[in-house]
Amino acid sequence: MALPFFLRKGLVVANHAVNGRSSKSFVDEGRLDAILDLIRPGDFLLVQFAHNDEKSEDPTRYTEPWTTYQEYLRLYIEGARAHGARPVLATPVERRRFDADGNAVPTHGEYPAAMRALAGRERVPLLDIEALSLALWQRLGVEETKVYFNWTATEQDNTHFNPPGAIAVARLVARELLRTRVLARRDVVRLHDEIPTSWITWPEATDTPAA
């Protein structure tokens, strides 16, 4: 987890993310309830889903952008607010995909737009990581983006990040937390610093693959 590298000492991040889950399956497995049992007034709940909501072949995970996706996201918003916490929505980070002309292309369909619309209606801060990551991949280009994903001699993974990628995306999140005034300037640190990849630690993977 890389986000704490960009936050001042004393701000604690509790990472409840689990690979392979959608906004629906996370709720159905009781994972949102577990968070709400722990969350306290004044806490922030950062919510980012879409990759696995897109799995139309899997009814345990699939949500439709303008109906069930928004309905499940609303459970996170309402749950946080009911406990005096502040919900924050984050659009999904983009996969690494380029067209024949070398342009980075979006991969999440209507999900980012649906989240943006919901955030506006519910007056929830929105971190637009989808737009920012797409712009970053465009700037870096076809070859340099491989440095940020799990590209090896035996694996070409355009979804999951290695340590440099995790740090780059966490930096985007920190900048958005500052831009949206979720956090104050004193709360965000090292935005322009080089972060050693050796600082990264990975949680143990679950038995359900992410995509």
Side-chain angles (χ1 to χ4, degrees), residues 163-164 167 195-201:
I167 291 168
I195 304 297
T197 57
S198 60
W199 289 8
I200 288 280
T201 58

Side-chain angles (χ1 to χ4, degrees), residues 25-205:
S25 63
F26 196 91
V27 169
D28 291 346
E29 292 175 5
R31 297 180 185 276
L32 175 58
D33 287 338
I35 292 172
L36 297 180
D37 285 342
L38 298 172
I39 207 164
R40 295 292 180 265
D43 288 349
F44 294 102
L45 178 61
L46 272 62
V47 181
Q48 183 183 56
F49 288 101
H51 286 73
N52 294 293
D53 287 76
E54 300 163 16
K55 305 298 183 184
S56 58
E57 73 283 0
D58 183 354
T60 68
R61 294 191 286 177
Y62 177 67
T63 61
E64 194 280 328
W66 296 100
T67 56
T68 48
Y69 179 60
Q70 291 184 329
E71 290 165 10
Y72 275 99
L73 291 178
R74 197 173 286 111
L75 295 178
Y76 296 80
I77 294 170
E78 293 172 352
R81 286 174 169 168
H83 288 77
R86 185 178 178 187
V88 179
L89 296 179
T91 55
V93 65
E94 270 298 347
R95 301 177 177 93
R96 179 188 171 276
R97 184 174 298 174
F98 291 85
D99 64 19
D101 296 320
N103 295 308
V105 296
T107 66
H108 292 298
E110 293 293 309
Y111 291 87
M115 179 179 278
R116 293 180 189 113
L118 179 65
R121 286 200 305 272
E122 296 291 333
R123 298 185 178 181
V124 174
L126 178 80
L127 316 182
D128 204 346
I129 305 305
E130 189 270 341
L132 291 174
S133 58
L134 186 67
L136 179 58
W137 308 152
Q138 177 69 28
R139 179 169 61 82
L140 293 172
V142 174
E143 292 303 317
E144 193 172 349
T145 46
K146 293 177 182 178
V147 175
Y148 293 83
F149 289 81
N150 285 329
W151 266 70
T152 67
T154 58
E155 181 181 19
Q156 291 78 47
D157 183 342
N158 293 308
T159 298
H160 303 101
F161 299 107
N162 58 19
I167 291 168
V169 173
R171 195 186 304 270
L172 296 180
V173 173
R175 286 174 175 163
E176 282 289 89
L177 289 169
L178 182 60
R179 181 190 66 81
T180 56
R181 299 183 180 179
V182 172
L183 296 181
R185 185 65 191 88
R186 66 179 180 275
D187 296 324
V188 180
V189 299
R190 302 191 190 94
L191 278 182
H192 306 289
D193 293 357
E194 187 74 20
I195 304 297
T197 57
S198 60
W199 289 8
I200 288 280
T201 58
W202 300 107
E204 291 186 11

